[in-house]
Amino acid sequence: MHCPFCRHTDSRVVDSRTSDDGAQIRRRRQCPDCGRRFTTIETAGLTVLKRSGASEPFSRAKVLAGVRKACQGRPVTEDQLAVLAQRVEEGVRAAGNAEVDAHEVGMAILGPLRELDEVAYLRFASVYQAFESLEDFESAITLLRAEREAAAPDGRPDRIPAP
Ligand SMILES: [Zn+2]
């Protein structure tokens, strides 16, 4: 851990404390060069690597913002969105990596969103997978329909009407 004051490349831990809920460790550190002290907080992190090469901590709020946009005007409640964001986070964490590509987060959103609302799913997929033409929509809808028919072969009414 670099010293935040003089950028010295090393520091010494002088005290460690685990928070009451066990989710954090606070460490008091001292720089051997300038002698100043600083605190670091350690949590089990999940870092998202963006296509630009930048990285940022995983944020449920960001997942929610993207999904909420896709759900505009759809019969989807805030509670359902919160559950979806939680499922996305659990899905991403279940892979067991401390770092994930933004792409993997997007992929983790698609499944639960499709179960929640197929129109919102198509909107999200069209942006996320960069649909460029009507044909891209058509093939996504064809796939949705085929998978739904496979799941319900008795021909129950669809949520997307057949043409
Ligand atoms: Zn220092």
Side-chain angles (χ1 to χ4, degrees), residues 2-11 30-38:
H2 291 214
C3 169
F5 303 107
C6 71
R7 311 302 301 167
H8 187 72
T9 55
D10 195 17
S11 59
Q30 185 167 29
C31 172
D33 198 38
C34 71
R36 288 203 252 190
R37 293 187 170 200
F38 56 99

Side-chain angles (χ1 to χ4, degrees), residues 12-149:
R12 195 165 57 87
V13 175
V14 291
D15 186 37
S16 271
R17 263 175 222 187
T18 306
S19 65
D20 290 341
D21 62 2
Q24 292 186 343
I25 296 178
R26 295 169 66 89
R27 294 190 206 280
R28 201 72 187 129
R29 294 172 180 267
Q30 185 167 29
C31 172
D33 198 38
C34 71
R36 288 203 252 190
R37 293 187 170 200
F38 56 99
T39 300
T40 55
I41 296 175
E42 192 176 301
T43 56
L46 182 60
T47 301
V48 177
L49 300 175
K50 300 202 282 186
R51 208 176 301 175
S52 63
S55 63
E56 61 184 21
F58 176 87
S59 152
R60 261 192 218 186
K62 280 216 162 156
V63 169
L64 273 174
V67 171
R68 192 177 284 129
K69 219 179 280 172
C71 288
Q72 254 170 33
R74 300 298 304 161
V76 173
T77 65
E78 279 296 311
D79 281 357
Q80 287 175 313
L81 288 178
V83 170
L84 182 142
Q86 188 183 338
R87 283 182 64 192
V88 170
E89 178 166 358
E90 285 167 359
V92 171
R93 284 189 185 274
N97 300 315
E99 287 187 344
V100 294
D101 285 341
H103 181 74
E104 290 172 59
V105 178
M107 293 300 284
I109 290 172
L110 288 173
L113 184 56
R114 191 168 109 175
E115 284 174 31
L116 188 59
D117 188 279
E118 287 176 337
V119 172
Y121 162 80
L122 279 175
R123 285 179 185 158
F124 187 86
S126 71
V127 175
Y128 180 71
Q129 298 178 322
F131 286 10
E132 283 170 354
S133 64
L134 279 181
E135 285 73 25
D136 288 338
F137 277 95
E138 265 173 13
S139 54
I141 291 170
T142 303
L143 191 68
L144 270 179
R145 218 174 252 146
E147 288 178 9
R148 198 173 40 210
E149 276 160 20

